[in-house]
Structure formats: structure tokens, C-alpha cells
Amino acid sequence: MLRTELIRPLHELLDGHGRARGGDVALADDQRVVSWSELATTTRRLAGHLAARGVGSGDRVAMVMGNAVETVETYVAAPRAGAVAVCLNPDAAPAELEYMLADSGARLVVTDDAHAELVAGLVAPEVPVIQVGVARPGRCSYAELIGSDSGTAAPDPADLDATAFMLYTSGTTGRPKGVELSL
């Protein structure tokens, strides 16, 4: 039986879970615990900040960071901004990361403290870097973005067929290839 009532745009699902499950834990790691209502808010805010920075329909938002709440928030916020979330393996060799960042056409990169210097050295100077943790000069603080509204509404596109994610193959038969996925 196909449950078509469950097929909804991402923002509608998040808002629904936020209303229905409110304070229940949605995500947790060693540093943060985020409820369903907080997840709806943080992803909406981050999507608004991405849009305010010119990230829009089809733009690539690369993520180079370890497993953390922020990884999931970014993975969800990018499609809420109409962008494509490109989750890259933070343990990949620098040459592989450099290739994937360039190949994906990353318009913006979100990274953590452990990978910030590496990423900054691999992307073009005009590519903004948002840093989880203590942001260095010239980089945006992730915590500041999710902690405030941008003044720009999250676009929250409703097209379920639009590309929302890009994952890279392992490259066993050549260079890694970006595989596009919809919601």
C-alpha cells in the first residue's frame, strides 16, 4: 500500500515532526542534543543564511566534517535552500577532496575545526567557508548562523524531483563520480 500522505516536501515533514514530537530528541552526539522542533528551526535558519549568501537553486553546498549533529543539519538545510548537499568523506586524501570540491562546483563549504585549514587550502578564495567550532577570521561561524534568523526566508522548494543530494562513488574504476539524488 502506497502511503501518499507521507510524501511531502522536506520542510513540511520537519515542521510536522516539530509539532508532533516537539521536545523529543531528533539528533544527538557528544556535543549537542537537538529536539525535533529545534531541528526544524536550525535547518530553517541555516537555509535562510545560505539563501542570503546567494546560494540558490541547484548550487552545491559541500560538507567536509566528521559525524556530528551539524553534519545532519547541513545535509537537511541545503535542500531547504534549494541547493544540493554534497557530503564528502573528511578522511579522503587531500587530492581527492580537492578534486571533488572542484568537480561538484561547490559554491560554499561547511567544515569543522578538524578540517578547516585543509579545506581552506583546497577551495578558491571566493568560495565561502562556514566553520563549525571556533571560526577563524574570514570564516563564518556555524553556531552564529543557526542561532539567529538571517532576514531571508528559507526558500523551502516543493519540487520533490529536484536534485537535493550529491554523493561521490569510491572511484574504483577511475575518478570518483558525483551521483545526484532527489528527495
Side-chain angles (χ1 to χ4, degrees):
M1 172 183 199
L2 185 62
R3 304 229 10 230
T4 57
E5 76 276 7
L6 299 177
I7 302 170
R8 297 281 180 264
L10 184 58
H11 67 280
E12 289 181 20
L13 293 172
L14 282 170
D15 291 343
H17 283 298
R19 285 188 303 276
R21 295 188 169 119
D24 291 351
V25 174
L27 302 169
D29 63 22
D30 293 342
Q31 304 298 314
R32 291 179 59 211
V33 175
V34 176
S35 70
W36 282 103
S37 62
E38 290 169 331
L39 182 60
T41 299
T42 59
T43 59
R44 177 185 46 78
R45 286 177 175 169
L46 184 55
H49 282 287
L50 294 174
R53 284 167 171 69
V55 172
S57 181
D59 286 338
R60 279 30 180 183
V61 173
M63 299 173 293
V64 181
M65 55 185 144
N67 291 333
V69 166
E70 293 85 0
T71 306
V72 179
E73 287 174 325
T74 304
Y75 201 70
V76 172
R80 289 193 72 174
V84 177
V86 182
C87 195
L88 300 176
N89 180 355
D91 295 325
E96 290 176 359
L97 276 176
E98 183 174 34
Y99 166 76
M100 290 183 281
L101 286 164
D103 181 68
S104 70
R107 167 95 169 60
L108 183 141
V109 181
V110 181
T111 190
D112 55 19
D113 285 335
H115 302 94
E117 293 311 311
L118 172 64
V119 167
L122 298 178
V123 297
E126 66 273 7
V127 175
V129 176
I130 296 173
Q131 188 171 340
V132 174
V134 180
R136 308 229 183 6
R139 294 189 200 134
C140 230
S141 164
Y142 182 92
E144 288 178 18
L145 298 183
I146 66 166
S148 65
D149 283 319
S150 67
T152 300
D156 287 328
D159 183 1
L160 299 177
D161 295 321
T163 300
F165 310 106
M166 178 186 276
L167 300 174
Y168 273 83
T169 64
S170 64
T172 54
T173 60
R175 288 205 174 244
K177 294 167 187 65
V179 178
E180 296 180 353
L181 305 166
S182 64
L183 289 173

